[in-house]
Amino acid sequence: MRQSVQVVLFASERKRELTNFMKSVVVPDHGGPEVYEIREQPVPTPDSGQALVRVSLAGVNYLDVAQRTGATPLQAPFAAGVEGLGTVTDPGDTGLNRGARVGWLAGGQGSFSEYALVSADKIVDIPDHVSDKAAISALMQGITAQYLTTTTYQVSSNDVVLVHAAAGGVGQLLTQMAKLKGATVFGTVSTPAKAEIALGAGADQVFDYEDFDVRIKQKTAGHGADVVYDGVGATTFSKSLRSLRTRGILVSIGTASGPVPQVDINQLNVGGSLYLTRPTVMHHIQTRHELNKRAAEVFGLIDAGKIKISDGQYRPLSEVEDAFRTLESRNSTGKIILKP
């Protein structure tokens, strides 16, 4: 890890204890992973509708990349991190219990910190029987896979599903959830090691990225996929469209290889009256009831042993830059997790 991940200490450790400071990852300016700074900041006090949570684990996500690079409305400087898990230390006026174990994937900006303020309407109740490892994987990635296979496209038996980056955190969960619904699942991966992971998650067959559009048509007797989940973006988008059946749907869920090209709407006509959507998890957790209903379904599948959570890559907060370089290199499998 590059030494320029700056640790800016405004107080000695003794003064830190006495004055209630915490370590927090800050993005002072938009840019690459090298811009992250670890600073000493005052532990915040909840405003109305917020709870103060001692962060146990924080998830590393592509939404964090979008924020850091300036692809979202969030302007620098800002505290980094959108997803976390921890224990309520000050419930404020939320009605939550002190000591409650909670998670969040929104409403807790600044999760790459020892403490975070979280909006009560975005808090997920974590059941006692769900481990920290399972919970942090079931938040952003688990709920994303849940809404993609139920709301964006209701996967059912006899469907043919293509999952890009099938060895990634979302890819493995998408594969497992689609298989539970009786679908045939094809995956794309970049290495033999990732192929083994995708097959272990239940994929019926995996392809590399070179000619997956041709191969999926061959494997389906020219029919094509009913739905393609594409989190890769620039390098896969056109082939993803060509992989679909007539009236199939391309679900663009990320741009790991770069932004997708501008779309000529006539491509959808020529391709067979295709559908294209770019959903986001935030539009699928608009109320706390909806959020916790989706989370409860994911927790239930984990508890019943119907989906398995892959081992995460745990990093200390001081390795935040290296964690994002790993994520953005597309060399990771499973979840990357920071431990404040």
PDB file of all heavy atoms in Angstrom, residues 3 23 27 111 136 201:
ATOM      1  N   GLN A   3       2.375   4.803   0.812  1.00  0.00           N
ATOM      2  CA  GLN A   3       2.434   5.476   2.096  1.00  0.00           C
ATOM      3  C   GLN A   3       1.663   6.786   2.133  1.00  0.00           C
ATOM      4  O   GLN A   3       1.478   7.368   3.184  1.00  0.00           O
ATOM      5  CB  GLN A   3       3.889   5.740   2.493  1.00  0.00           C
ATOM      6  CG  GLN A   3       4.647   4.460   2.830  1.00  0.00           C
ATOM      7  CD  GLN A   3       6.047   4.750   3.318  1.00  0.00           C
ATOM      8  OE1 GLN A   3       6.550   5.861   3.183  1.00  0.00           O
ATOM      9  NE2 GLN A   3       6.676   3.749   3.891  1.00  0.00           N
ATOM     10  N   LYS A  23     -11.047   7.925  14.521  1.00  0.00           N
ATOM     11  CA  LYS A  23     -10.404   7.866  13.217  1.00  0.00           C
ATOM     12  C   LYS A  23     -11.481   7.768  12.141  1.00  0.00           C
ATOM     13  O   LYS A  23     -12.454   7.023  12.279  1.00  0.00           O
ATOM     14  CB  LYS A  23      -9.451   6.679  13.134  1.00  0.00           C
ATOM     15  CG  LYS A  23      -8.220   6.822  14.008  1.00  0.00           C
ATOM     16  CD  LYS A  23      -7.309   5.622  13.890  1.00  0.00           C
ATOM     17  CE  LYS A  23      -6.080   5.794  14.783  1.00  0.00           C
ATOM     18  NZ  LYS A  23      -5.183   4.617  14.733  1.00  0.00           N
ATOM     19  N   VAL A  27     -12.352  11.945   2.064  1.00  0.00           N
ATOM     20  CA  VAL A  27     -11.979  12.260   0.680  1.00  0.00           C
ATOM     21  C   VAL A  27     -11.881  13.777   0.582  1.00  0.00           C
ATOM     22  O   VAL A  27     -12.896  14.464   0.515  1.00  0.00           O
ATOM     23  CB  VAL A  27     -13.023  11.717  -0.317  1.00  0.00           C
ATOM     24  CG1 VAL A  27     -12.691  12.171  -1.743  1.00  0.00           C
ATOM     25  CG2 VAL A  27     -13.088  10.198  -0.255  1.00  0.00           C
ATOM     26  N   SER A 111     -19.127   5.779   6.877  1.00  0.00           N
ATOM     27  CA  SER A 111     -19.027   4.479   7.542  1.00  0.00           C
ATOM     28  C   SER A 111     -17.594   3.975   7.687  1.00  0.00           C
ATOM     29  O   SER A 111     -17.344   3.057   8.468  1.00  0.00           O
ATOM     30  CB  SER A 111     -19.858   3.438   6.776  1.00  0.00           C
ATOM     31  OG  SER A 111     -21.217   3.810   6.733  1.00  0.00           O
ATOM     32  N   ILE A 136     -22.788  -8.403   6.919  1.00  0.00           N
ATOM     33  CA  ILE A 136     -22.177  -7.376   6.082  1.00  0.00           C
ATOM     34  C   ILE A 136     -22.278  -7.759   4.605  1.00  0.00           C
ATOM     35  O   ILE A 136     -22.377  -6.893   3.729  1.00  0.00           O
ATOM     36  CB  ILE A 136     -20.706  -7.114   6.491  1.00  0.00           C
ATOM     37  CG1 ILE A 136     -20.195  -5.793   5.908  1.00  0.00           C
ATOM     38  CG2 ILE A 136     -19.804  -8.268   6.102  1.00  0.00           C
ATOM     39  CD1 ILE A 136     -20.843  -4.555   6.472  1.00  0.00           C
ATOM     40  N   ALA A 201     -20.630 -21.572  -6.833  1.00  0.00           N
ATOM     41  CA  ALA A 201     -21.842 -20.841  -6.449  1.00  0.00           C
ATOM     42  C   ALA A 201     -23.081 -21.387  -7.153  1.00  0.00           C
ATOM     43  O   ALA A 201     -24.196 -20.955  -6.847  1.00  0.00           O
ATOM     44  CB  ALA A 201     -21.685 -19.355  -6.760  1.00  0.00           C
TER      45      ALA A 201
END
